[in-house]
Amino acid sequence: MRRTDIRNVAIIAHVDHGKTSLVDCMLRQSGRFRDTQLVGEQILDSNDLERERGITILAKNIAIPYQGVKINIIDTPGHADFGGEVERVLRMADGALVLVDAAEGPMPQTRFVLGKAFECGLRPIVVINKIDRPDARPHEVVDEVLDLFLQLGADDTLADFPYLFASSKLGFATDDPAKPSDSIQPLMDLILEKIPGPDVDIELPLQMLVTTLDWSDYVGRIAIGRVQSGTIRKGQNVALMQADDRIVATKAVSVYVFEDLGRVEVHEVDAGDICAIVGLEGVEIGDTVASPTEPHALPRLKVDEPTLKMTFGVNSSPLAGREGKYLTSRHLRDRLMRELERNVALRVEPIPGTEQFSVAGRGILHLSVLIETMRRESYELSVGKPQVIFREIDGQMCEPFETLVVETPSERTGPVMELVGERRAQLVEMTSHNDYTFMIFSIPARGLIGLRTRLLNATQGTAVIHHRFDDYRPMAESIPGRSTGVLVSIAAGKAVAFGLDSLQQRAELHVSPGDVVYEGMIVGENSRPEDMNVNPTKEKKLSNMRAVGHDRNILLKPARKMSLEEALEFIADDELIEVTPSLIRLRKILLKETDRRRANRQAAG
């Protein structure tokens, strides 16, 4: 039986193509809200980090009633590092709105999410968004999307996809970009017409795949998923089908469905709808909620493996414990294990013989969001240099390769080609639109670490850079690392202007006068390849007032304050990042100069 009163729709696209803004338009079109309830933009990006960075990090569920039909909308992240969120929530949908920027066209993440949508059998509607851009080329982009569909093996039915043109910013959708409409209603009508309702069998035993976990301080874990068959009722006894064929008897204490921007408690939920269940002890993502009399498990979720790892440990610097509340390895382990419950693309393993953990994820942004979240929760920790994860395939050591897309003004292509070429990248395609050049490269993931900052510097901040995982291939040649050394403090105390003045001639400083430093802390970037030991706390010696000499005015350049992502790309193998709730410091793993010299001699011998 196919339900006609429900549509389950996922919104998928590359980062910054306007998914969350489009959801804002659909919320306003529904007429269910007062103006005061829909204040601002990107209403679903409620997380502080999402608002600050302007990206969606967590998938969100809402429901909009339209012409007697309930439309369950799943807003997904667009950044490649959060692909794990996309992969699992697509299992709840029957159709997908594929958003494509009218100027940029299909990007690497568009290919990824579209491929996953085809694997799940979703019916796509293509929305060419941002047609109000002055450089928009909507009809060309439709042709590019068709090419992408065919490259991904779409059959005749899928290749004949419905499409609309839209502007999330101006709040309209239309079938002709030359004739703007006054509302998003054409898109809502197209959803009802082209996306099928869920195909269900209410008579079969209960089955529901848990695709998302939420948490409440009052009721604990909340399991979210789509009821595939049967009916689930409040207070019903259920069987929880877990990994390794374990079956746990438990009870659905409360059942909720999504309504508008929130959830409402109901007595029962029939197959085809998306619901949230409270009371399932020990539930994990990928478990099946089934009938206790006829328990049958649905196929567990499979998520692509992580490609990057880094070491997390407790903060061991001399300044540890001054700001944070959670400082011990037990606190760190408990927090990482809690993150594993809802972050399916993350892997955490204790490092034998140490109190450190190897944390693996999809990319630097994926892991830096976790670190940023932890520091805001008052954790202190130290983080090592990101390392790619190698695999042995058919007896040959392989490494991850990624597709890198760089958009830059045409006159800046030279520095980009030079920098990317040093990192063993191969040019796949180069095209031009107006005064901009699009370059697509295949590059080892090792080559991406530290590349973004250098590309932005080389193009004076004009480059737009995207990348996503492609596949594992035999290892490329060695890749040059950081070309500069660092300034390492040999003293503890407060940095003073006199001591920093003599250093700024040969380096870029990372500290300002008054900043607290300690032995082994990195206080600047040397202009030469070797590290240099310095004393930023050195003060001017005061002597007889009649002594020969003169005072001069000290002018210091502003210190370079790195973001967390910049610091992760900057550090070398023998360095760490010290993360506290308010500060990010760089340091050597071995703080004492004598220990570093001894380690260098042993490495050379």
Side-chain angles (χ1 to χ4, degrees):
M1 183 182 90
R2 194 170 285 281
R3 293 185 65 171
T4 58
D5 59 334
I6 288 179
R7 300 290 188 274
N8 297 318
V9 186
I11 301 186
I12 56 179
H14 188 80
V15 64
D16 274 344
H17 280 198
K19 295 176 301 302
T20 307
S21 299
L22 188 74
V23 174
D24 292 354
C25 297
M26 298 172 76
L27 288 169
R28 292 187 170 97
Q29 180 66 40
S30 70
R32 296 270 300 181
F33 304 94
R34 299 187 304 275
D35 290 341
T36 53
Q37 292 177 278
L38 300 177
V39 176
E41 298 176 347
Q42 285 82 45
I43 295 161
L44 291 195
D45 286 348
S46 52
N47 183 305
D48 287 343
L49 272 177
E50 291 179 321
R51 289 211 168 276
E52 288 170 23
R53 293 170 182 258
I55 59 173
T56 301
I57 295 172
L58 302 171
K60 317 284 195 319
N61 293 74
I62 62 168
I64 300 175
Y66 181 71
Q67 294 186 2
V69 177
K70 178 182 180 182
I71 304 177
N72 284 314
I73 295 177
I74 308 158
D75 184 24
T76 64
H79 201 286
D81 283 20
F82 306 109
E85 290 278 319
V86 180
E87 289 173 62
R88 55 190 173 88
V89 299
L90 289 183
R91 295 283 288 271
M92 293 192 284
D94 297 295
L97 295 184
V98 183
L99 259 72
V100 184
D101 190 296
E104 294 181 358
M107 297 293 277
Q109 183 71 354
T110 314
R111 172 183 289 270
F112 168 75
V113 292
L114 197 54
K116 295 295 179 185
F118 286 171
E119 286 178 21
C120 295
L122 304 190
R123 296 296 299 273
I125 292 177
V126 174
V127 181
I128 309 299
N129 196 26
K130 302 189 182 182
I131 62 170
D132 54 309
R133 285 181 58 162
D135 56 346
R137 45 190 187 92
H139 292 294
E140 290 178 47
V141 170
V142 172
D143 294 338
E144 291 175 10
V145 173
L146 176 58
D147 291 341
L148 179 58
F149 271 58
L150 296 175
Q151 289 172 25
L152 293 173
D155 57 24
D156 292 344
T157 306
L158 285 176
D160 187 22
F161 55 83
Y163 61 89
L164 276 176
F165 304 96
S167 168
S168 306
K169 183 178 178 181
L170 301 179
F172 72 83
T174 177
D175 56 4
D176 183 352
K179 299 177 182 175
S181 67
D182 57 357
S183 74
I184 206 79
Q185 185 173 344
L187 176 59
M188 307 285 277
D189 293 337
L190 197 63
I191 289 173
L192 298 192
E193 179 187 347
K194 296 295 184 181
I195 291 182
D199 192 7
V200 299
D201 193 334
I202 297 177
E203 303 304 321
L204 286 177
L206 169 66
Q207 279 185 312
M208 185 191 101
L209 184 68
V210 178
T211 51
T212 307
L213 281 183
D214 201 354
W215 173 264
S216 164
D217 291 335
Y218 301 102
V219 297
R221 293 189 194 186
I222 302 171
I224 299 172
R226 170 177 152 180
V227 183
Q228 298 287 353
S229 61
T231 301
I232 185 162
R233 297 177 178 85
K234 177 181 179 180
Q236 177 180 344
N237 292 321
V238 295
L240 198 59
M241 317 286 290
Q242 299 195 301
D244 305 322
D245 297 327
R246 282 180 296 143
I247 301 178
V248 179
T250 183
K251 183 179 183 179
V253 176
S254 304
V255 181
Y256 295 81
V257 294
F258 292 90
E259 184 175 297
D260 300 334
L261 293 174
R263 295 191 285 249
V264 294
E265 188 172 1
V266 293
H267 180 66
E268 65 179 28
V269 179
D270 291 329
D273 206 351
I274 297 172
C275 71
I277 304 174
V278 171
L280 305 180
E281 289 292 329
V283 63
E284 304 280 355
I285 289 175
D287 292 353
T288 300
V289 179
S291 164
T293 54
E294 298 180 66
H296 299 292
L298 291 164
R300 288 190 74 82
L301 286 165
K302 289 184 180 178
V303 176
D304 289 349
E305 292 295 313
T307 58
L308 200 72
K309 64 180 179 181
M310 60 179 73
T311 302
F312 283 39
V314 295
N315 184 11
S316 57
S317 89
L319 303 179
R322 295 193 178 187
E323 298 178 32
K325 181 179 177 184
Y326 305 106
L327 311 171
T328 67
S329 58
R330 180 178 62 83
H331 287 141
L332 186 60
R333 183 183 64 248
D334 291 347
R335 177 63 181 84
L336 291 173
M337 293 305 153
R338 199 161 71 244
E339 185 68 21
L340 280 179
E341 294 177 358
R342 63 175 71 185
N343 198 335
V344 293
L346 202 71
R347 303 286 183 274
V348 177
E349 293 179 4
I351 300 176
T354 70
E355 293 187 342
Q356 297 175 324
F357 300 87
S358 174
V359 181
R362 286 287 183 83
I364 285 180
L365 183 62
H366 184 202
L367 294 171
S368 69
V369 165
L370 169 60
I371 297 167
E372 185 68 38
T373 304
M374 290 174 66
R375 70 184 286 216
R376 292 180 184 213
E377 295 171 358
S378 205
Y379 283 82
E380 282 193 23
L381 64 154
S382 59
V383 183
K385 178 180 173 63
Q387 308 278 353
V388 300
I389 299 174
F390 300 104
R391 286 188 194 167
E392 189 172 327
I393 301 174
D394 297 330
Q396 190 172 19
M397 190 58 71
C398 297
E399 66 174 322
F401 275 69
E402 306 221 0
T403 299
L404 171 69
V405 178
V406 182
E407 176 191 354
T408 185
S410 299
E411 68 270 13
R412 309 260 184 213
T413 54
V416 172
M417 297 289 281
E418 182 181 351
L419 278 173
V420 175
E422 289 176 0
R423 304 299 184 101
R424 311 299 179 215
Q426 300 289 325
L427 181 64
V428 177
E429 186 181 335
M430 179 187 263
T431 56
S432 294
H433 301 307
N434 300 328
D435 296 331
Y436 280 80
T437 299
F438 287 80
M439 291 167 281
I440 302 177
F441 300 92
S442 177
I443 185 171
R446 282 182 298 150
L448 286 171
I449 298 173
L451 180 62
R452 177 179 292 271
T453 304
R454 297 185 66 188
L455 279 177
L456 290 173
N457 290 340
T459 60
Q460 297 182 337
T462 57
V464 179
I465 305 151
H466 299 294
H467 60 88
R468 71 152 281 91
F469 172 72
D470 190 5
D471 61 1
Y472 271 83
R473 298 179 203 157
M475 281 189 64
E477 300 173 32
S478 62
I479 292 173
R482 191 178 68 203
S483 58
T484 56
V486 291
L487 305 185
V488 186
S489 174
I490 56 172
K494 286 189 176 182
V496 294
F498 181 79
L500 296 176
D501 182 43
S502 60
L503 301 178
Q504 73 173 349
Q505 308 300 326
R506 65 193 86 179
E508 184 178 28
L509 297 176
H510 292 171
V511 295
S512 304
D515 288 351
V516 179
V517 299
Y518 54 83
E519 183 180 4
M521 178 174 159
I522 295 171
V523 296
E525 181 179 358
N526 195 3
S527 58
R528 297 183 177 181
E530 64 273 2
D531 293 346
M532 185 164 64
N533 295 308
V534 299
N535 182 5
T537 65
K538 181 180 177 182
E539 297 180 337
K540 183 177 181 180
K541 298 300 182 192
L542 298 178
S543 59
N544 191 325
M545 294 292 289
R546 292 183 297 257
V548 177
H550 63 279
D551 285 332
R552 64 186 183 84
N553 192 24
I554 294 175
L555 296 174
L556 291 177
K557 291 181 289 188
R560 180 186 175 193
K561 299 298 183 183
M562 290 188 179
S563 68
L564 184 56
E565 283 90 1
E566 289 172 334
L568 287 169
E569 291 188 339
F570 178 80
I571 60 172
D573 291 332
D574 64 338
E575 295 163 6
L576 292 174
I577 302 174
E578 176 189 350
V579 181
T580 70
S582 65
L583 292 171
I584 292 173
R585 302 185 185 96
L586 307 185
R587 52 163 283 191
K588 290 289 185 180
I589 294 177
L590 301 173
L591 295 178
K592 293 190 176 296
E593 182 184 355
T594 52
D595 293 341
R596 293 197 297 275
R597 284 182 176 173
R598 188 180 302 117
N600 290 336
R601 283 198 300 269
Q602 291 174 352

